[in-house]
């Protein structure tokens, strides 16, 4: 679902495997990778934050992290999954920062009332979106990445495992835990997942 | 399925809730903005951009100054870390260092020299009497000719044994020092390898000594002597 067919068309493959290549070549490889993946990167970030400013900040952070981790990216068995994970992490970090900022701005003595007033001003869909985003920001980083890759990207557990750098079983556990937590926190909005019950 | 299509009676599962709440609907204007951001990032990373800035003289000088400052800071951090490591290492060794040990030995030497020099007379058995006619002779040897190489309390002797070496005559002297009077009650002389002793001293000696301190001195006037010939 995060895939954009247009991205893959111009991407004949990028070679990040060599750390001994000159700096200019590495920059070119990095640029090629980012340009090939930019569609997925932008959509994955947008779907989580859904705010232009937050999306821009998350993208900037993701690019900086990717550039800094270029050697690790070169060794990674699935660079695309690695990129996606970094983007989702950056997006979730922005959500967490936003949640923290909001908590700081709401007075403690009148916190409940202010939140209720603010919530009433939002439409029903916005209120649901707000709750979902807050719930995602409360998840652990790996759990958030795993559930978002699974639910939004329809990624296989193998891809999720490679992205997180763990075993497939661990990836399943992360997804399961994330689902359980979201189910608990958003119980008024959703029902227990049938998939999890069967698996 | 969107949030508005959902009926109250059939809430979606978690995955569906996430998909419907977070749809894949990146607006074109936001996409353009984000793509521009990527473009700017890649341009900034290109080494050409940095070289272009370096071409400006003032920027080059500021850049060089920053590099030098960073180097100095790294060196300072390294030096500080080395000092901290040395400090920890000295503490963890658990025994006095070489410098501290030599200071301790020097202190013991001086104490012995001072006590011996204060004695009014001494009398040693055997051949030691030939070598040390007076306390001043022994004090002079301790001060000028001998080097204290070891110092240890010996429980069997109930005294401290100071081991001196005399480099000039290739000999070793063991002085059994009484703990109360701080005067040597035995002097044991042995030869080191490479020495050329006179005939009557060929085997060295083990002499016992008695001391007399001047009247009015706080120190004990004499030590008890145990005579053991060699």
């Amino acid at each position: 679902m995060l895939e954009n067919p247009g991205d893959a068309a111009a991407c004949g493959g990028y070679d990040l495997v060599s750390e001994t290549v000159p700096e200019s070549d590495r920059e070119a490889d990095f640029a090629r990778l980012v340009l090939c993946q930019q569609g997925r990167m932008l959509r994955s970030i947008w779907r989580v934050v859904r705010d232009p400013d937050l999306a821009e900040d998350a993208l900037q952070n993701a690019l900086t992290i990717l550039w800094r981790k270029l050697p690790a990216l070169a060794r990674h068995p699935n660079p695309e999954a690695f990129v996606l994970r970094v983007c989702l992490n950056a997006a979730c970090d922005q959500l967490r920062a936003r949640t923290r900022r909001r908590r700081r701005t709401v007075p403690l003595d009148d916190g409940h009332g202010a939140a209720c007033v603010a919530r009433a001003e939002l439409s029903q869909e916005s209120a649901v979106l707000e709750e979902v985003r807050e719930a995602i920001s409360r998840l652990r980083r790996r759990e958030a990445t795993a559930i978002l890759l699974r639910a939004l990207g329809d990624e296989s557990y193998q891809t999720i495992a490679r992205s997180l750098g763990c075993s497939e079983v661990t990836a399943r556990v992360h997804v399961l835990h994330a689902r359980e937590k979201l189910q608990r926190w958003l119980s008024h909005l959703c029902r227990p997942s049938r998939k999890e019950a069967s698996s | 399925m969107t949030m508005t299509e959902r009926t109250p009676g059939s809430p979606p599962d978690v995955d569906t809730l996430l998909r419907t709440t977070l749809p894949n609907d990146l607006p074109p204007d936001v996409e353009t903005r984000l793509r521009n951001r990527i473009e700017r990032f890649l341009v900034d990373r290109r080494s050409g951009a940095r070289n272009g800035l370096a071409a400006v003289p003032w920027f080059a000088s500021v850049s060089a100054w920053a590099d030098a400052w960073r180097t100095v800071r790294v060196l300072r951090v390294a030096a500080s870390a080395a000092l901290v490591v040395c400090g920890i290492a000295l503490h963890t060794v658990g025994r006095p260092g070489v410098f501290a040990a030599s200071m301790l030995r020097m202190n013991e030497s001086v104490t012995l020299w001072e006590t011996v020099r204060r004695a009014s007379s001494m009398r040693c058995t055997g051949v030691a009497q030939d070598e040390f006619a007076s306390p001043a002779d022994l004090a002079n040897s301790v001060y000028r000719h001998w080097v204290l190489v070891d110092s240890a309390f010996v429980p069997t002797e109930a005294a401290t044994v100071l081991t001196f070496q005399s480099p000039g005559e290739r000999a070793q002297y063991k002085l059994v020092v009484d703990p109360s009077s701080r005067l040597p009650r035995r002097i044991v002389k042995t030869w080191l390898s490479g020495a050329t002793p006179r005939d009557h001293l060929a085997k060295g000696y083990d002499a016992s000594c008695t001391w007399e301190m001047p009247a009015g001195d706080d120190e004990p006037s004499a030590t008890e002597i145990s005579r053991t010939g060699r």
Side-chain angles (χ1 to χ4, degrees), chain B residues 99-182:
Chain B
F99 181 71
S102 67
M103 290 299 290
L104 202 64
R105 283 201 294 271
M106 187 182 290
N107 191 31
E108 285 181 333
S109 257
V110 170
T111 304
L112 178 71
W113 167 76
E114 206 170 7
T115 316
V116 168
R117 195 172 54 94
R118 221 172 40 235
S120 55
S121 68
M122 64 177 282
R123 192 157 59 84
C124 290
T125 59
V127 288
Q129 193 66 45
D130 301 341
E131 281 196 281
F132 310 116
S134 66
D137 283 349
L138 180 59
N140 190 48
S141 294
V142 168
Y143 185 70
R144 294 187 186 282
H145 306 303
W146 295 357
V147 178
L148 182 61
V149 294
D150 190 32
S151 165
F153 182 80
V154 180
T156 52
E157 298 269 9
T160 303
V161 176
L162 303 180
T163 306
F164 290 90
Q165 283 189 356
S166 173
E169 54 180 341
R170 305 285 307 158
Q172 177 171 286
Y173 293 88
K174 282 196 174 184
L175 273 60
V176 180
V177 178
D178 190 274
S180 57
S181 66
R182 280 178 282 174

Side-chain angles (χ1 to χ4, degrees), chain B residues 33-45:
Chain B
R33 183 176 162 184
L34 295 178
R35 283 184 190 272
N36 288 340
R37 165 66 72 169
I38 289 179
E39 186 60 34
R40 278 206 304 277
F41 185 88
L42 293 177
V43 167
D44 288 347
R45 293 278 81 75

Side-chain angles (χ1 to χ4, degrees), chain B residues 54-75:
Chain B
V56 182
W58 68 265
F59 184 81
S61 64
V62 168
S63 176
W65 179 85
D67 286 347
W69 178 78
R70 201 174 296 124
T71 308
V72 169
R73 199 173 60 166
V74 166
L75 287 175

Side-chain angles (χ1 to χ4, degrees), chain A residues 10 13 36 58 67 91-92 96 103 119 130 180 182 188:
Chain A
C36 286
W67 174 254
C92 289
R96 288 190 193 98
R103 280 182 191 151
R119 193 101 7 118
E130 206 52 40
E180 285 173 353
L182 291 176
H188 56 292

